[in-house]
Amino acid sequence: IFIVFCIITGILSACAGNPSTGTLTIAVAESSPGTENETNAHSLYAGARLAAEQINEAGGINGYSVKIVPYADNNDPLGAELNAQTIAQSDAVAVIGHSSSETTSVAAPIYLNAGLPAINASPVSVETTRKFSNYFNISYTAEQQGAYLANYAKRSLGMDHATIVYASNVSASALAKKFENTFRGLGGKIIFSHNLSAQSDLTEGEIYDVVGRIFSVDSGVLLIAANETISANLVIELKNRGFNNPVIGGDNLSTLGFIEKIEKENTEQVHPGYYTDGMISTRALLPDSASGFTSQFVRDYQEAYPDIAVSNSAARGYDAVLAISKAIQISQGSSDVAQERANILSALPQMNDPE
């Protein structure tokens, strides 16, 4: 997040006071963005909208105002495909999205055929940007999370064996595979790797079976790579049975949904941190150790959404709009949608340093 925050001063100073010459639209496609009147504060859209409002208050980009249009797909590939077709035919000059590898993979070819620049702001597999030249990452990838967690488990925690529990979706599988390969490469041993069903949740019986298998061995450090609901249910059952080994994971262990589910437990309310103390998770934003730019974003976000903790998604959505806006600034802007898409596609690869 710190890289793109360095861009905002240049954006705002470059465009302050310019007369408005039109509007450039950026689409945000994700699971649940909410609407203009009822924005989901935990969404990419919330952060994207905040960035656009700040840019417009400062005069826009090269005289153009920025408009953010949300598209909800409920993490359904068919819904994502239909939305992608609508976005491709719209006046959007760029798109931010989607929320999973499954929805991204069906939308990406449509955006590519339309010459539409796309910013991936969720930790999906690196394969998206490898396969589609119009896709750019503003987030760490699932593979990067896996490699980082393996190094942390082996080098920082000093663990020499690990157990993996992961879901069947593309991102979770990629994270788990990278963790396993990296951990083995560092000399670690994988006790077992358990592949969960692709469902959005597990039955109580399935949770018991998985946790029972973990307790049946000397599991070492436990990696959980699954959605926030499955992850929370596993952690709750593990801790209720007295599991004390280190638990690590991607940002599935730090989403607001995960935290809210944990906080509903009676034991957590009586003993805060009972389920999560010592848990290790990757995260896009660490407010307690943030730079000046990031701290300002946190203050602005909390002013817009009082009493709501800043989410990873909102931070990435904010970053993505700043990156696109910088590309527009570099390309000077165009009122022709096809031309501006091409301009942004040309400008984005040039943005390879904080300036």
Side-chain angles (χ1 to χ4, degrees):
I1 193 168
F2 70 94
I3 293 177
V4 183
F5 271 100
C6 295
I7 295 172
I8 192 166
T9 302
I11 291 176
L12 298 185
S13 62
C15 59
N18 286 352
S20 178
T21 57
T23 299
L24 295 176
T25 299
I26 299 173
V28 176
E30 60 181 317
S31 177
S32 181
T35 64
E36 184 175 355
N37 294 328
E38 294 185 24
T39 302
N40 177 358
H42 304 167
S43 65
L44 293 171
Y45 174 54
R49 182 178 174 183
L50 177 60
E53 288 172 352
Q54 292 178 343
I55 291 168
N56 291 338
E57 287 172 2
I61 302 296
N62 299 335
Y64 290 89
S65 62
V66 178
K67 179 182 179 182
I68 309 296
V69 179
Y71 294 82
D73 58 37
N74 297 313
N75 236 2
D76 173 52
L78 178 58
E81 182 178 14
L82 294 175
N83 282 347
Q85 293 169 349
T86 301
I87 293 168
Q89 296 169 11
S90 73
D91 59 357
V93 297
V95 58
I96 301 165
H98 291 239
S99 300
S100 69
S101 292
E102 286 74 17
T103 50
T104 300
S105 64
V106 298
I110 297 171
Y111 299 146
L112 179 64
N113 290 337
L116 183 62
I119 299 287
N120 166 42
S122 299
V124 300
S125 172
V126 70
E127 291 303 312
T128 299
T129 51
R130 286 177 176 170
K131 291 180 179 178
F132 301 99
S133 59
N134 63 317
Y135 246 101
F136 301 84
N137 269 334
I138 203 73
S139 171
Y140 42 73
T141 65
E143 290 86 353
Q144 287 171 328
Q145 290 184 93
Y148 179 85
L149 289 166
N151 274 277
Y152 191 89
K154 190 69 173 66
R155 299 179 188 277
S156 298
L157 298 181
M159 303 299 294
D160 59 8
H161 57 293
T163 297
I164 302 170
V165 176
Y166 69 101
S168 298
N169 64 71
V170 175
S171 295
S173 298
L175 191 159
K177 181 179 179 181
K178 188 66 175 181
F179 175 90
E180 180 173 354
N181 290 342
T182 304
F183 194 74
R184 289 186 190 277
L186 294 170
K189 177 182 179 181
I190 301 298
I191 303 302
F192 70 78
S193 182
H194 183 88
N195 182 205
L196 302 169
S197 67
Q199 302 170 40
S200 59
D201 198 1
L202 299 178
T203 66
E204 190 174 274
E206 288 172 322
I207 292 289
Y208 289 164
D209 288 344
V210 174
V211 171
R213 186 178 180 194
I214 293 170
F215 270 95
S216 70
V217 297
D218 179 10
S219 59
V221 61
L222 172 63
L223 171 75
I224 299 177
N227 67 38
E228 60 190 23
T229 301
I230 292 175
S231 298
N233 286 336
L234 284 171
V235 167
I236 290 168
E237 182 61 23
L238 283 163
K239 293 296 184 179
N240 284 344
R241 293 201 200 179
F243 190 76
N244 291 317
N245 291 25
V247 177
I248 63 176
D251 57 2
N252 56 301
L253 299 185
S254 62
T255 65
L256 295 178
F258 175 88
I259 294 169
E260 288 171 354
K261 189 168 182 60
I262 294 292
E263 288 177 341
K264 291 178 181 178
E265 293 296 306
N266 291 333
T267 305
E268 183 70 16
Q269 293 173 16
V270 176
H271 303 287
Y274 177 83
Y275 292 100
T276 56
D277 280 353
M279 186 176 295
I280 297 159
S281 169
T282 56
R283 186 169 167 80
L285 178 65
L286 296 173
D288 293 340
S289 59
S291 67
F293 292 107
T294 307
S295 295
Q296 184 60 53
F297 161 72
V298 172
R299 289 192 292 270
D300 293 341
Y301 177 91
Q302 291 177 335
E303 181 179 343
Y305 304 100
D307 303 319
I308 296 178
V310 182
S311 72
N312 289 333
S313 293
R316 296 187 192 112
Y318 188 94
D319 277 2
V321 169
L322 296 187
I324 294 168
S325 298
K326 182 63 176 179
I328 293 170
Q329 183 182 327
I330 292 172
S331 67
Q332 299 302 310
S334 172
S335 58
D336 180 76
V337 171
Q339 183 59 56
E340 186 53 29
R341 289 179 179 181
N343 291 346
I344 295 172
L345 274 175
S346 176
L348 282 171
Q350 301 176 41
M351 295 164 50
N352 56 6
D353 64 63
E355 300 301 323

